[in-house]
Amino acid sequence: MSYTFHWEVPLRNLPQFLWGALATLEMSGVACLLGLLVAVCAALARLSKHRFLRGAATAYVEAIRNTPFIVQLFYVYFGLVVVGVNLEAFSVAIITLTINCGAYSTEIIRAGIQSIHRGQTEAGLSLGMTHWQVFRHVILLPTLRVVWPPLASQFIATMLGSSVASQISAEELTYAGMMLESRTFRTFEIFFFITILYFLMARLFSFLFSLTGHKVFREAWGQL
Amino acid sequence: MPELLVAFSYKDVLFLLQGALVTIAMCAMAFSCGLVVALLIGLIRTARRFPALRWIGWGYVEIFRGTPLLMQIFIAYFGLSILGLELPRFVAVSIPLILYTGAYMGEIVRAGVEAVSRGQWEAGWSLGMSYRQLMRYVVAPVAVRIMIPPSVGFLVQLVKGTSLAYVVGYVELTRAGYIISQSTYATMLVFTLVGAIYFGINYPLSLASQRLEIRLKRHA
């Protein structure tokens, strides 16, 4: 092996990577929150009485879950251009990540809602709660509590998957690495370093979820 | 934009289908070799008497499940050339996919092995069975049945994962689509087709996984 490693290349450009890491956190954080909203709506649609709503939600979930993210990304990226909407790559990445994360989370939330017994809803209504109150206190919060751990795994997967957004030149961590790579050709060192950063961010996500689970749902520590 | 579509011909469709075959071949390679890694990881993660091995298995799974597949492909692809290995491109992009499969399937194997109750293990030990016999006659018959639905589900994830070989320029389905979209400008048509082909491969697998899971629950 006649290769000399140059670890000083990624280390000297640490500020760029930290900026990229923040961009990744921003991109995936926004996409996860919006995706959660989409998922709650789509899960309700999948469980609704209206055939059309049910069909549309099922088609959405199946179409997204059975195609690769990179293809979805290209589709949205070029599709928006075709219909004449010009957005920067970062926004396109957020939109696609939201659509993607929303579909996976829909199935998680649907399973959660189905785990709540019908009797609970009826009990809430007969106590004089409004439909909104029942939805909020009897369905949504207990559901989120049940699905918090799988939701955390999904959001971490979304964050790791956001690295693919570099392929449409959305400026995040992987893109920062690719830029530096094209100037220095230290491919291995740079991507190895970035991988460590992703690993740490995944841990951070996991910790944040554990913390919010603890604060919001009064769960015991260490569930995740 | 009908005038743009003129450039798109049946040859392009054939090119896409060739790409799809490459995708399927990569999956077959990654899944079959990955399964060997997974069995190893699953067994050492359930080895009660060897804590050091258990930690290695745990670390392996954490690393591969806690980092992006895109990065794994980059690192393996460029790392192999640093090591001076001149591998065919198909093998070079398959290696990260094999290791990735090993981590995810390893967890499925572990879950299957752990689903066999402690009492059955003890019954096997007390009958004087060796570890191999125990695995073969007591654990495997139960564990394999439990492993099948999530394994089929993982195949879907793997098919989607192979699309990331795109980033190192390997011509599989996604890269084939990209090349054609650049040469014909029928971008939306091409990516609709590419998406449809992936869907055609994955949807039957998804359905099968769901059905198998329902059936397993019913017989449990």
Side-chain angles (χ1 to χ4, degrees), chain B residues 1-7:
Chain B
M1 30 160 215
E3 69 275 14
L4 291 179
L5 295 185
V6 176

Side-chain angles (χ1 to χ4, degrees), chain A residues 48-61:
Chain A
S48 100
K49 281 178 225 142
H50 301 281
R51 266 181 70 188
F52 176 74
L53 273 180
R54 238 183 14 237
T58 307
Y60 160 63
V61 169

